[in-house]
Amino acid sequence: MRIQHSIYPYPVLSVEDEDYTSDSYFNVEYTMAKATPFKNAKIHCVFKLKDAQLETLLADGVLGLYMHVECSRTYFRKLIPVDPVTKMVDVEIDQALMRQKVELTGFLLANEDKDNLKIRNVNPALYGSDYVFPDLEKGDPLAVSFTVDITLSEVESFKKLSSIIKVAKSKDSKQLELNMDSHVVYVYLPEKQYKAYVQSTNYPEIALSMVIFPAVIELLNRVASSGLSELEDYKWYQVLERKIELLGHSIDELKDQRISAIVLAQLILDDPLERSFEEVGELFKNED
């Protein structure tokens, strides 16, 4: 559903449209929260509505805010209800459902049938001074933000590292160990550490730096010291190689020591130390 022009037989509030006077306004602002190995990327959507009567109808539940999300490449479509108080919603980029580009369209829709509606700020020059809307049915739009295309960076939308690195409990080891001899790399933690890792969901970036970061460094060291034929059939190697290429580097640079494993690991994980220290800072703030 691509909305670029107002195409409705009655006044609909939208940007750069004269159906309403300049006192009324409706639009959506978008910001992207980048993906991490633990989280999908998200598009933060903030709805901006300025019209006293429409806002009252929204507060009463007669109207509702909605975000229409569509990815033509995967035939994905979804209409997401938006909190009428905060007027905000996060659209998570599920890589199984969305690829390359998503189209976002914000709506103010009727939640129920509505007769004899009058809105003061309807433009009298276009519709007369005492305009009455035709009988509205549930789902009819009262305001529309024109469709915005969000291009999904291939680096961000590429399969998460969690698809090739799994953390598991060790039966007998007292230290962190790696098993790289399968399509998925297993990071084995001693039982006590594993329990702490599982309980660290509120602090995923700290856990990332403590467990996944050293595991990726070790993986890269293994790649640097091994022949291609030894690793190329493993899924984890294929994903890692593609990730490195998307970052503008290559396995050859790693083998030739033009880039170190520790630097490359930070690039692959999108600067995990910075995010971890930010999380530590938030932890200290909460304690204060």
Side-chain angles (χ1 to χ4, degrees):
M1 178 185 292
R2 171 168 289 278
I3 305 296
Q4 293 179 309
H5 305 285
S6 182
I7 54 175
Y8 302 98
Y10 56 83
V12 172
L13 178 59
S14 59
V15 174
E16 298 180 359
D17 199 302
E18 297 181 350
D19 280 359
Y20 280 67
T21 66
S22 59
D23 294 331
S24 297
Y25 178 82
F26 182 75
N27 203 7
V28 182
E29 297 177 354
Y30 304 95
T31 54
M32 175 75 85
K34 297 172 67 176
T36 75
F38 279 94
K39 301 176 184 177
N40 287 328
K42 290 183 179 181
I43 303 170
H44 184 59
C45 312
V46 180
F47 284 67
K48 302 289 186 179
L49 173 63
K50 180 186 176 185
D51 184 280
Q53 286 180 271
L54 293 178
E55 290 182 74
T56 298
L57 291 169
L58 173 65
D60 292 343
V62 177
L63 305 181
L65 293 170
Y66 296 88
M67 176 58 63
H68 184 269
V69 185
E70 182 169 345
C71 179
S72 58
R73 185 173 179 83
T74 60
Y75 304 104
F76 172 80
R77 290 187 181 89
K78 187 174 184 181
L79 188 65
I80 303 172
V82 178
D83 189 313
V85 178
T86 64
K87 299 183 178 68
M88 294 187 292
V89 67
D90 287 334
V91 178
E92 184 174 355
I93 304 302
D94 186 336
Q95 298 163 16
L97 301 174
M98 308 176 205
R99 290 195 296 274
Q100 292 189 355
K101 182 179 73 174
V102 294
E103 298 175 358
L104 302 177
T105 311
F107 287 98
L108 179 68
L109 303 178
N111 282 335
E112 58 190 53
D113 295 349
K114 182 70 175 175
D115 302 335
N116 302 315
L117 177 65
K118 292 184 178 181
I119 302 294
R120 285 187 299 274
N121 285 349
V122 168
N123 190 344
L126 296 178
Y127 295 97
S129 59
D130 196 28
Y131 179 80
V132 179
F133 280 75
D135 293 348
L136 298 173
E137 298 181 353
K138 182 178 180 180
D140 284 343
L142 274 297
V144 175
S145 70
F146 294 145
T147 301
V148 172
D149 293 336
I150 303 292
T151 300
L152 307 178
S153 163
E154 193 174 7
V155 173
E156 290 181 353
S157 63
F158 193 68
K159 186 174 290 187
K160 293 191 299 181
L161 221 60
S162 58
S163 68
I164 59 163
I165 299 180
K166 304 295 182 184
V167 179
K169 180 173 63 176
S170 173
K171 294 181 180 179
D172 46 27
S173 175
K174 295 183 179 180
Q175 286 83 34
L176 181 153
E177 291 184 350
L178 260 64
N179 184 336
M180 310 178 210
D181 298 326
S182 65
H183 289 296
V184 175
V185 174
Y186 284 92
V187 183
Y188 289 107
L189 294 175
E191 183 175 0
K192 184 177 179 180
Q193 295 176 20
Y194 178 76
K195 288 181 179 179
Y197 176 82
V198 170
Q199 295 170 356
S200 68
T201 53
N202 290 333
Y203 308 104
E205 305 301 344
I206 296 174
L208 171 76
S209 289
M210 294 178 66
V211 179
I212 305 300
F213 183 38
V216 173
I217 293 173
E218 183 61 24
L219 272 182
L220 293 172
N221 284 328
R222 168 79 178 272
V223 169
S225 62
S226 301
L228 177 62
S229 60
E230 298 176 47
L231 305 175
E232 62 181 350
D233 291 334
Y234 289 137
K235 177 184 174 184
W236 66 258
Y237 176 85
Q238 296 164 8
V239 171
L240 199 62
E241 182 181 39
R242 179 65 176 142
K243 188 79 170 179
I244 291 169
E245 290 174 350
L246 289 171
L247 290 166
H249 295 281
S250 68
I251 296 296
D252 287 340
E253 291 179 60
L254 182 66
K255 289 181 173 293
D256 297 342
Q257 298 185 348
R258 283 175 281 164
I259 188 168
S260 67
I262 193 168
V263 169
L264 191 52
Q266 291 175 78
L267 294 175
I268 290 169
L269 296 175
D270 194 19
D271 205 352
L273 296 179
E274 180 178 350
R275 297 201 310 276
S276 296
F277 281 120
E278 287 176 356
E279 206 166 70
V280 170
E282 290 298 320
L283 181 61
F284 287 147
K285 282 182 184 178
N286 293 337
E287 289 182 351
D288 294 340

